Amino acid sequence: MTFTTTAPGKIILFGEHAVVYGKPAIAVPVNHVQAQAMLEQTNSESGFRIVAPDLKRSYLLSEMDSSEPLAAIVRDTLAYLNQPIPNACLTVSSTIPLGRGLGSGAAISTAIARVLTQYFDQQISSHQVSSLVFNIEKLYHGTPSGIDNSVVAFAQPVYFVKGQPIKMMDVAQSLTFVIGDTGIVSPTHKVVGDLRQRWQANPSPYEDHFNDIAVLVDQAWVGIEQGVLGIWELGTLMNKNQILLEKLEVSSPELGRLITAAREAGATGAKLSGAGWGGNMIALAPAQPEAITEISQALLKAGATNIIITELQVNAMKIE
Ligand code: PMV
């Protein structure tokens, strides 16, 4: 028997970094990129093999300790399900670029937790998946806020505050985002750790910036949920968020180039998304296909290595 599950990537629309310090943030799933986990039963005594062709890795679970994220999510999920290690082969693959702020680690862990649950014909809530994945995010990121595992495990737009019950967001107006990749791998723990050091050395200006970001996030939340802000107003909020991210020193010249190119090509707003210093930026586009094409072409011309166009659709279903 073979079981297959997938999990989406994600983008943070507003509030990255400040969310680590207890402020709200908004993130949405990106279904155009996916992580996949495939589990095949194998012969008795074969053990549990993990194969990651993208990473050119293949090993037995018994050979790997739990500092390795793939081995850790398998062990944690089996412990939660109260099941023994099966004789099986787990193959993981992903179209989500690694280390570029699109939630690849959370998506791989989510797909694995779900495929093991299917294999044992058990049920698991999205809350539980999110909590299992959060523990693995700590291996990837050190001090994650929990937003990546939340948006990916629920596969719904979320308004997230660390330590508070996650809120699924309604979407009153469909929004089109063009995502541009700088092609630069940026380890989240480094960017977050560096900011933490600067904040510790001089908390006051950083806390002002976090508070200012929180105000933007709440304005955007009301705007998106109630449809009271048009795309130009939401775009302006994104631009303001980008200015604050620059003040936090988490942007980069490459991100700046793509953001400027998108705005000049007609995006209503643009900002980095995720940890920054590289990875991806997002631009809010008018819905007309010509406008989207123009922004995409401008991003490619400005050096984007990849473009994803994603639509946040009206009335995203609420899963509690
Ligand atoms: O994993 P990334 O690169 O999308 O970054 C997550 C966003 C941060 O706010 C920078 C970190 C966090 O844990 O929330």
Side-chain angles (χ1 to χ4, degrees), residues 6 12 34 36 40 55 61 84 90 94 117 125 128 205 247 255 258 283:
T6 59
I12 296 179
Q34 300 263 335
Q36 180 181 293
E40 287 171 283
L55 305 173
L61 181 64
L90 171 70
S94 176
T117 306
S125 69
Q128 190 55 48
K247 290 186 177 164
L255 283 164
L258 298 189

Side-chain angles (χ1 to χ4, degrees), residues 5 14 18 26 32 41 49 65 71 90 98 176 194 219 266 292:
T5 54
F14 293 94
I26 296 171
H32 305 263
Q41 208 163 15
R49 178 163 290 279
D65 69 27
L90 171 70
L98 288 175
T176 304
D194 189 87
Q219 287 171 351
I292 298 164

Side-chain angles (χ1 to χ4, degrees), residues 269-291:
K271 63 181 276 292
L272 69 83
S273 181
W277 282 3
N280 280 272
M281 49 71 66
I282 56 173
L284 181 55
Q288 296 80 359
E290 319 79 65

Side-chain angles (χ1 to χ4, degrees), residues 39 56 66 92 101 121 167 184 204 238 240 245 258 280 286 303:
L39 192 62
K56 299 198 173 40
S66 287
V92 293
D121 199 18
K167 284 192 179 127
I184 297 168
S204 170
M238 288 171 67
K240 288 184 176 168
L245 288 162
L258 298 189
N280 280 272

Side-chain angles (χ1 to χ4, degrees), residues 10-12 15-20 25 99-104 137 141 143-148 160 186-188 191-192 273-276:
K10 72 99 203 0
I11 47 175
I12 296 179
E16 50 275 272
H17 286 291
V19 69
V20 176
R100 314 253 256 290
L102 296 185
S104 69
E137 287 293 284
H141 294 329
T143 55
S145 64
I147 192 167
D148 280 21
F160 178 86
S186 174
T188 300
V191 193
V192 171
S273 181

